[in-house]
Amino acid sequence: MSSREIRMPLTEVVAVLQDLNEFVVSLDRLGSCQACGTADEYTVGRFVADWDVARRLARARHFLSVALDGQLSEEEIAEIDALCDQGRFYGTDSAPGRSADRSG
C-alpha cells in the first residue's frame, strides 16, 4: 500500500466517527458490565440489534469504499479487496473460539 491520501467529505467522516465512537464506548461498557456480572450472555446481541449496529457499520464501510473507488486505480482497489478478504469473520475457522461447523 502506498501512503496516498484520500479525500472524503467532512460531514460523512464525522458521521462515521460518531457511529464508531458510540460502538467503541458502548462495547467497552458492556464488557465492564459482563466482567462485573451485571450483563448476561444476551446483552451484546440486544445491543447489536437495538442500536442497528450491522446497518450502521455497513454504511460506514460503503462510505469508505465509495471514497476509495473514486480515487484509486482498479489495481489498488483489487489489492485492498484482497487484504480485506484476509480478515477474520465470525462463523469461520479463523474466528477465535468458533468453528465453521455449527451443526451442534
Side-chain angles (χ1 to χ4, degrees):
M1 281 284 101
S2 69
S3 60
R4 290 180 52 187
E5 292 185 17
I6 301 296
R7 296 185 63 84
M8 296 180 264
L10 182 59
T11 56
E12 289 294 322
V13 171
V14 170
V16 168
L17 285 173
Q18 287 173 321
D19 282 348
L20 293 176
N21 189 55
E22 285 182 19
F23 300 149
V24 169
V25 171
S26 296
L27 288 170
D28 181 61
R29 289 179 181 172
L30 285 166
S32 294
C33 289
Q34 287 178 324
C36 293
T38 58
D40 64 20
E41 62 190 63
Y42 302 104
T43 306
V44 174
R46 282 195 323 266
F47 165 73
V48 169
D50 292 349
W51 288 52
D52 205 12
V53 173
R55 184 195 58 77
R56 291 167 65 190
L57 287 174
R59 182 179 61 106
R61 181 181 61 185
H62 174 75
F63 163 70
L64 294 174
S65 294
V66 167
L68 293 174
D69 287 347
Q71 298 176 58
L72 299 178
S73 69
E74 288 183 27
E75 294 80 22
E76 290 169 314
I77 296 296
E79 183 179 355
I80 291 169
D81 288 345
L83 289 171
C84 289
D85 287 343
Q86 295 173 12
R88 298 184 318 175
F89 303 99
Y90 182 83
T92 64
D93 289 334
S94 62
R98 285 292 191 200
S99 150
D101 178 15
R102 296 176 47 170
S103 60

